[in-house]
Amino acid sequence: MTGSFEAPADACQVGGLPERPTPDQIDAFFRNDTFAYRQADCRIVEAWKGHGVAEMDIDPAKHLNAKGRVMGGAVFTLADYAFAAASLCGASSSVSLSSTIEFMKGTEGNKLVATCDVDRTGRKVGFYTIDVTDDMGEHIARVVTTCYHPA
């Protein structure tokens, strides 16, 4: 691979979010996410320390695989975005160490919702569970993530 990626100057965030950020603080923090926010059209709709909810309207031009089903990577991206909101509220930084996803069923819906809640967090390591449902009330996937808080 040649060349290198350089993020725009305004894309770098220093620190995390307050423990209970306002909707404006959430939007300002995540609007520079070049993948989940800009490409996949995910949005954070709720966030506080240890909790985050992200939504994504399913766009057939962006989120479907060759078989016409929602791509597993789109489901994981949404879950990871909810995790980011939950783990960065009240923390200076958070880095995912491990994530496991279990797909429970495909969706026939038009929107996915990922809800992340902390299971346990210590000084440096946190454990989170993210459940992904659709707008028809179906449980689509579960993600378990372990993270490291370096600062």
Side-chain angles (χ1 to χ4, degrees), residues 5-8 10-12 29-42 62 77 81:
F5 172 76
E6 187 172 325
D10 65 347
C12 298
F29 186 85
F30 285 106
R31 88 168 54 113
N32 288 317
D33 186 302
T34 59
F35 186 71
Y37 183 87
R38 293 184 184 176
Q39 301 298 316
D41 295 329
C42 299
K62 290 184 177 183
T77 295
Y81 207 45

Side-chain angles (χ1 to χ4, degrees):
M1 183 172 163
T2 60
S4 64
F5 172 76
E6 187 172 325
D10 65 347
C12 298
Q13 295 288 336
V14 176
L17 290 161
E19 287 190 17
R20 286 211 170 257
T22 66
D24 288 341
Q25 289 171 314
I26 293 167
D27 184 61
F29 186 85
F30 285 106
R31 88 168 54 113
N32 288 317
D33 186 302
T34 59
F35 186 71
Y37 183 87
R38 293 184 184 176
Q39 301 298 316
D41 295 329
C42 299
R43 60 194 172 276
I44 303 295
V45 296
E46 194 173 281
W48 57 79
K49 186 175 183 176
H51 176 80
V53 178
E55 295 180 346
M56 177 178 70
D57 294 322
I58 298 169
D59 181 344
K62 290 184 177 183
H63 302 126
L64 302 186
N65 62 23
K67 298 286 264 177
R69 307 293 294 180
V70 175
M71 174 67 76
V75 175
F76 182 81
T77 295
L78 180 66
D80 192 52
Y81 207 45
F83 158 72
S87 67
L88 288 170
C89 290
S92 60
S93 63
S94 176
V95 178
S96 178
L97 294 174
S98 170
S99 292
T100 303
I101 188 166
E102 294 176 343
F103 295 99
M104 298 179 181
K105 70 175 300 198
T107 182
E108 302 295 326
N110 297 309
K111 178 169 85 172
L112 295 176
V113 178
T115 303
C116 177
D117 286 297
V118 65
D119 296 313
R120 184 179 189 289
T121 191
R123 286 183 310 119
K124 295 288 186 181
V125 179
F127 304 90
Y128 295 78
T129 299
I130 307 104
D131 287 303
V132 181
T133 58
D134 65 14
D135 56 339
M136 299 174 74
E138 297 291 334
H139 198 177
I140 305 304
R142 173 167 289 148
V143 178
V144 177
T145 297
T146 302
C147 74
Y148 176 65
H149 297 286

